[in-house]
């Protein structure tokens, strides 16, 4: 009786992958990843911009709704929220550090002064991977939900590095308090 596990036995078949097949499969996977990875980064950057813009729109809507429900002015302003609750707005339009919403005592277009900690309703933390370009350092809503300003406010959210077309988002706050967003074809 012979050994039934010899290569001459035609009923025994080899199972599994050979070394050549494994190398070819890994090579194809590496090529596909090299092609897809840069596009995936672009998608992530665009989603970050959109997410940050959506968070800001939610904050704007909250500020407007609070102004109407409290029948008092409410302001959202650029502020450094990284080290706790801020006590003043940033006057340099630097929304990259975050923002805060507070019940305001001022009913004009003047810059907000010092903020009492108990009047702060909410703070928002900015994403360090996103740059925010703004035409203003604050948006103040009247008790009727209108923006107390002479012109609409615009903020642009874009990736901090390697910004590509269709990744930037613009948030516009009209004088009647309506918020609109738009995807930009170019990266400013």
């Amino acid at each position: 009786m012979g050994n039934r596990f010899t290569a001459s036995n035609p009923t025994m078949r080899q199972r599994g992958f050979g070394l050549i097949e494994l190398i070819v499969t890994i090579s194809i996977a590496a090529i596909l990843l090299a092609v897809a990875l840069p596009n995936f980064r672009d998608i992530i950057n665009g989603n970050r911009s959109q997410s940050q813009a959506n968070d800001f729109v939610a904050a704007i809507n909250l500020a407007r709704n609070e102004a109407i429900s409290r029948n008092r002015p409410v302001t959202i302003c650029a502020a450094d929220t990284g080290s706790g609750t801020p006590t003043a707005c940033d006057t340099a339009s630097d929304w990259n550090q975050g923002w805060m919403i507070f019940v305001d005592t001022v009913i004009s277009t003047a810059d907000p002064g010092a903020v009492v900690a108990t009047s702060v309703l909410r703070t928002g933390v900015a994403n360090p991977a996103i740059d925010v370009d703004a035409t203003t350092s604050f948006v103040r809503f009247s008790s009727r939900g209108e923006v107390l300003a002479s012109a609409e406010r615009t903020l642009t959210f874009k990736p901090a590095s390697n910004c590509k077309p269709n990744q930037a988002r613009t948030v516009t706050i009209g004088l009647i308090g309506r918020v609109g967003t738009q995807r930009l074809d170019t990266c400013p």
Side-chain angles (χ1 to χ4, degrees), residues 36-181:
L37 194 58
N39 292 332
F40 189 64
R41 282 191 200 123
D42 291 346
I43 290 169
I44 289 173
N45 282 341
N47 285 344
R48 283 181 181 153
S49 296
Q50 184 175 4
S51 176
Q52 189 74 27
N54 289 344
D55 287 348
F56 187 74
V57 167
I60 288 288
N61 287 330
L62 173 68
R64 183 171 188 253
N65 289 337
E66 286 292 326
I68 293 168
S69 65
R70 292 172 185 263
N71 200 27
R72 298 199 53 196
V74 172
T75 299
I76 180 170
C77 68
D80 185 2
T81 58
S83 58
T85 302
T87 57
C89 292
D90 185 355
T91 57
S93 301
D94 187 12
W95 295 87
N96 294 315
Q97 303 300 316
W99 55 81
M100 72 172 160
I101 302 169
F102 62 96
V103 178
D104 206 344
T105 57
V106 178
I107 308 174
S108 71
T109 59
D111 283 345
V115 177
V116 180
T118 57
S119 68
V120 175
L121 302 173
R122 183 160 300 163
T123 60
V125 179
N127 184 340
I130 301 297
D131 273 343
V132 183
D133 295 332
T135 58
T136 185
S137 62
F138 70 96
V139 178
R140 182 175 290 124
F141 292 97
S142 72
S143 60
R144 294 177 19 178
E146 299 167 333
V147 174
L148 293 171
S150 58
E152 66 183 16
R153 307 298 190 172
T154 303
L155 292 93
T156 302
F157 297 83
K158 63 183 180 179
S161 62
N162 298 327
C163 186
K164 303 260 171 74
N166 295 318
Q167 289 182 341
R169 304 289 189 273
T170 296
V171 175
T172 305
I173 304 113
L175 293 178
I176 61 171
R178 183 174 174 167
V179 181
T181 60

